[in-house]
């Protein structure tokens, strides 16, 4: 699944040879529903950037600009944005706060490696969400 914007090309079918019999065209038309484009169901998002090094200012956040650009491209409204340290309770609290501020979906970044200080997967599982 991929996001697209209005008037963006989503597929091309090349017909070789350049001419076809009626039966061949009818066979090809059986695949007309191979690609479907549906509007996003969730348009209001929250962004939770995790990472103690970002939270403490030791490292610059590079996530937000990328997510914000994608949100703008697809017409999503960012209704919540915060940076939290690698702390399960703070991550869970931030996700809950995003939802209470109207977020229909929450993007959580950082802290997804095997490093024992990365608490994001644990926090997400504790909320009963998918990472």
């Amino acid at each position: 699944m991929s996001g697209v914007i209005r008037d963006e090309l989503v597929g091309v079918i090349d017909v070789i040879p350049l001419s076809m019999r009626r039966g061949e065209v009818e066979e090809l038309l059986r695949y007309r529903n191979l690609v479907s484009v549906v509007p996003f169901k969730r348009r209001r998002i929250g962004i939770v950037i995790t990472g103690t090094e970002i939270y403490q200012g030791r490292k610059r956040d590079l996530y937000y600009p990328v997510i914000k650009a994608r949100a703008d491209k697809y017409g999503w409204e960012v209704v919540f944005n915060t940076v939290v340290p690698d702390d399960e309770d703070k991550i869970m609290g931030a996700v809950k706060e995003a939802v209470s501020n109207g977020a229909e979906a929450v993007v959580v970044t950082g802290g997804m490696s095997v490093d024992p200080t990365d608490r994001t997967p644990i926090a997400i599982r504790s909320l009963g969400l998918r990472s």
Side-chain angles (χ1 to χ4, degrees):
M1 180 170 20
S2 298
V4 296
I5 58 175
R6 183 178 193 86
D7 298 325
E8 185 174 349
L9 179 67
V10 295
V12 175
I13 296 175
D14 284 334
V15 179
I16 300 174
L18 296 177
S19 65
M20 298 177 71
R21 291 186 170 82
R22 185 174 208 58
E24 294 170 324
V25 171
E26 289 169 0
E27 176 70 22
L28 184 61
L29 290 175
R30 287 185 16 191
Y31 298 101
R32 73 174 60 196
N33 294 324
L34 191 59
V35 174
S36 62
V37 178
V38 296
F40 286 109
K41 293 179 181 171
R42 296 174 180 90
R43 300 185 68 89
R44 296 168 48 89
I45 67 168
I47 302 172
V48 176
I49 310 292
T50 70
T52 300
E53 65 285 352
I54 297 170
Y55 180 78
Q56 293 176 344
R58 292 184 284 132
K59 187 175 177 184
R60 194 176 75 166
D61 169 43
L62 300 176
Y63 298 108
Y64 182 80
V66 173
I67 298 166
K68 177 68 169 120
R70 184 68 51 100
D72 291 344
K73 176 180 179 181
Y74 295 128
W76 302 335
E77 177 187 1
V78 176
V79 296
F80 180 82
N81 175 44
T82 193
V83 178
V84 294
D86 293 308
D87 177 284
E88 292 164 51
D89 292 331
K90 288 188 167 84
I91 295 168
M92 289 188 296
V95 171
K96 289 176 183 177
E97 189 177 349
V99 171
S100 72
N101 278 281
E104 299 167 307
V106 181
V107 177
V108 182
T109 69
M112 300 299 285
S113 70
V114 295
D115 185 326
T117 64
D118 294 336
R119 312 309 293 168
T120 304
I122 295 166
I124 292 172
R125 278 193 298 276
S126 297
L127 286 167
L129 305 172
R130 296 186 319 260
S131 60

